[in-house]
């Protein structure tokens, strides 16, 4: 958890001019292209040559049994694996046409473009308002009115505004798990990403909070490209447009979610989603 | 998953049982009608309760399976197919019931020359063969066997189309047979409908096994 907070802090500390804040109502079309990507942790080959194209403004779900490489693969998109010892990668990952593993790439800048939401909600021990405003302030925005507008906008985007508008000074730690997770998503949105990565974002939430986050994901895809790792088959089928099934470091099948869950091409996929193995 | 698989197997067995009962109901209705055997017809009428009970049991099991196991892919296709197959089989049994009711309610035996002119035996035999095909298709997941019923259904359609002119000619020859002719006309319509229902079942079996939707598809 400490590592995750550290990464979030790093992401939001990059200074950008206030006038570069993009109108959040604008649609950002972000694509991800993966070409023959292989990953090793020391001698362990975690990803064995994957090609994948992720379309803009879609939700793509990664499914597969534990240890299949789906989280490793997701974390490649914002270079989170760089922190892992003995991590080694081959192949190309292009975001909006640019290879994100080029030496000159500014990783902090990249993580502003590609936000991440983790399994457990991880708000800062600050007020609700400050959690969302934190990144904006560190970006050098001093205009209080602008900050306020952006915070409200982000809280509205995650459907949290109505629940917290009278308690913005309250500690974020006092919110429920589901509210904390939506606050974390709001914090991610505040730095204007075009892609949001979610690693099992609802696995620690109750069904009502899960439904709210799912509804939010569905709404957010209008503006963002979303990639989500989930162990919940029904969640993948409910919210995603495309589903990728991973097994033992390989991409077994990647197709429209409707096809994967009604008539998958590969027997292995069918066996997994129907619970016959995995 | 073991439990889901177990529940699915039970449902599959219930489907096979429904298919077997409805086949027997129709065969008995046929024998009762051709031989004017009212005892056999009564048996069909009494057995309708069994068919209805099994229909409800399958419906409930499908609902339970959908609610508790969230089926996807082949499991989802299976549950969708079995619900429709069950519905179609129950309708087939209803037709067997109605035909048997005629046998009980109508005193006179149908003149054999009328049955012959209408190709009644051929119609029944075709239906029995179609039922054999779908039983084989259902039990062995045999898509080829399922596809065999489509051609046979055309035989039934033709007999049905021809029945009007055949009966018209027979009535012109002897207008004392009007009531028998009307009864036969009604039974032929029911048998033609049974053929359609068997065809629907074959389509559902193909959908379940191959994920191919064949209904409403016209041959190019």
């Amino acid at each position: 958890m400490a590592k995750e907070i550290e990464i979030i802090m790093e992401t939001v500390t990059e200074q950008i001019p206030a006038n570069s804040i993009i109108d959040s109502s604008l649609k950002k079309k972000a694509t991800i292209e993966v070409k023959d990507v292989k990953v090793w942790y020391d001698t362990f080959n975690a990803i064995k040559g994957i090609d994948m194209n992720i379309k803009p403004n879609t939700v793509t779900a990664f499914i597969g049994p534990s240890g299949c490489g789906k989280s490793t693969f997701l974390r490649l998109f914002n270079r989170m694996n760089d922190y892992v010892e003995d991590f080694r990668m081959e192949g190309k990952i292009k975001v909006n046409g640019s290879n994100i593993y080029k030496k000159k790439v500014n990783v902090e800048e990249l993580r502003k473009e590609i936000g991440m939401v983790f399994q457990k909600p991880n708000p800062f021990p600050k007020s609700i308002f400050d959690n969302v405003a934190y990144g904006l302030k560190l970006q050098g925005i001093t205009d209080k009115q602008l900050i306020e507008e952006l915070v409200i906008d982000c809280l509205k985007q995650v459907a949290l505004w109505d629940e917290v508008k009278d308690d913005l000074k309250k500690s974020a730690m006092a919110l429920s798990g589901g509210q904390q997770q939506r606050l974390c998503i709001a914090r991610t949105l505040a730095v204007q990403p075009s892609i949001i990565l979610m690693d099992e974002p609802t696995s620690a939430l109750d069904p009502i909070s899960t439904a709210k986050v799912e509804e939010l994901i569905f709404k957010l895809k209008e503006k963002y490209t979303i990639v989500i790792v989930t162990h919940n088959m029904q969640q993948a089928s409910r919210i995603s447009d495309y589903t990728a099934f991973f097994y033992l470091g390989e991409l077994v099948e990647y197709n429209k979610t409707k096809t994967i869950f009604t008539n998958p091409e590969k027997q292995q996929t069918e066996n997994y989603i129907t619970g016959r193995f995995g | 998953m073991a439990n889901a698989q177990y529940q699915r197997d039970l449902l599959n067995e219930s489907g096979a049982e429904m298919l077997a009962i409805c086949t027997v109901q129709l065969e008995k209705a046929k024998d009762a009608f051709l031989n004017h055997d009212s005892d056999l017809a009564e048996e069909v009428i009494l057995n309708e309760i069994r068919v209805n009970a099994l229909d409800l049991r399958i419906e409930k099991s499908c609902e339970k399976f959908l609610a508790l196991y969230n089926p996807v892919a082949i499991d989802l296709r299976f549950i969708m197919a079995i619900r429709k197959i069950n519905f179609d089989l129950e309708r087939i049994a209803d037709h067997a019931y109605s035909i048997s009711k005629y046998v009980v309610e109508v005193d006179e035996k149908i003149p054999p020359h009328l049955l012959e002119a209408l190709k009644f035996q051929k119609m029944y035999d075709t239906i029995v063969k179609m039922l054999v095909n779908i039983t084989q298709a259902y039990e062995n997941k045999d898509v080829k066997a399922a596809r065999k019923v489509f051609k046979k259904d055309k035989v039934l359609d033709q007999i049905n189309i021809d029945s009007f002119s055949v009966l018209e000619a027979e009535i012109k020859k002897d207008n004392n047979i009007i009531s028998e002719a009307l009864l036969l006309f009604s039974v032929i319509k029911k048998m033609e409908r049974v053929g359609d229902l068997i065809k629907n079942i074959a389509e559902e079996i193909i959908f379940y096994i191959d994920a191919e939707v064949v209904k409403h598809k016209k041959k190019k």
Side-chain angles (χ1 to χ4, degrees), chain B:
Chain B
M1 186 57 214
N3 190 27
Q5 185 61 49
Y6 175 68
Q7 297 296 336
R8 214 195 103 155
D9 291 346
L10 282 183
L11 200 45
N12 193 41
E13 279 170 27
S14 299
E17 192 186 343
M18 185 73 167
L19 185 53
I21 291 175
C22 292
T23 302
V24 170
Q25 285 285 88
L26 200 68
E27 279 176 358
K28 282 184 178 170
K30 171 200 87 172
D31 290 340
F33 188 76
L34 291 177
N35 306 318
H36 200 73
D37 183 343
S38 52
D39 289 341
L40 194 58
E42 291 277 11
E43 203 182 310
V44 174
I45 292 165
L46 282 175
N47 258 337
E48 173 71 0
I49 299 168
R50 228 181 118 201
V51 173
N52 290 345
L54 188 54
D55 169 47
L56 289 175
R57 201 174 84 200
I58 291 173
E59 268 289 308
K60 269 203 155 183
S61 301
C62 287
E63 187 188 339
K64 187 176 137 192
F65 195 83
L66 279 166
L68 301 184
Y69 301 103
N70 297 300
V72 292
I74 194 162
D75 290 344
L76 178 65
R77 297 201 303 275
F78 168 74
I79 210 80
M80 285 170 73
I82 197 98
R83 284 196 70 205
K84 288 185 187 170
I85 290 170
N86 182 47
F87 176 81
D88 290 338
L89 285 171
E90 201 271 333
R91 296 291 302 131
I92 290 173
D94 279 349
H95 288 306
Y97 172 86
S98 307
I99 293 167
S100 300
K101 279 206 95 169
Y102 287 145
V103 178
V104 173
E105 285 163 12
V106 177
D107 275 347
E108 282 180 40
K109 196 178 174 183
I110 306 290
H113 77 277
L114 269 184
L115 295 171
E116 206 173 312
L118 286 164
K119 298 183 185 166
F120 224 77
Q121 187 67 47
K122 189 183 176 185
M123 194 173 206
Y124 269 127
D125 289 345
T126 307
I127 285 174
V128 170
K129 280 180 197 160
M130 288 166 87
L131 284 167
V132 169
N133 288 149
I134 57 158
T135 304
Q136 193 189 344
Y138 184 87
E139 287 176 356
N140 307 325
K141 293 186 184 169
D142 182 351
V143 172
K144 265 190 182 174
R147 286 186 194 279
K148 282 181 185 168
V149 307
F150 300 139
K151 216 174 170 183
K152 293 189 179 97
D153 186 48
K154 286 185 179 153
V155 175
L156 302 184
D157 290 345
Q158 197 53 52
I159 293 173
N160 177 48
I161 292 165
D162 294 344
S163 66
F164 189 85
S165 53
V166 170
L167 284 169
E168 192 184 16
E170 291 296 329
I171 290 167
K172 275 178 187 167
K173 273 192 241 166
D174 177 6
N175 59 16
N176 290 321
I177 59 155
I178 289 176
S179 60
E180 286 94 339
L182 286 173
L183 173 64
L184 270 175
F185 192 60
S186 158
V187 173
I188 283 200
K189 292 274 165 246
K190 287 187 188 303
M191 299 315 287
E192 193 272 333
R193 188 71 198 114
V194 166
D196 289 344
L197 292 166
I198 296 173
K199 198 178 115 190
N200 291 351
I201 293 171
E203 287 168 352
E204 288 309 320
I205 292 172
I206 293 166
F207 168 72
Y208 149 51
I209 298 163
D210 276 358
E212 184 193 349
V213 178
V214 285
K215 69 174 175 183
H216 307 313
K217 235 184 207 176
K218 282 191 180 151
K219 269 196 174 177
K220 285 171 191 170

Side-chain angles (χ1 to χ4, degrees), chain A residues 85-100:
Chain A
E85 231 175 284
D86 302 320
F87 162 78
R88 186 160 60 86
M89 191 199 103
E90 275 179 17
K92 272 185 188 168
I93 298 180
K94 288 182 178 178
V95 172
N96 294 331
S98 305
N99 185 354
I100 59 167

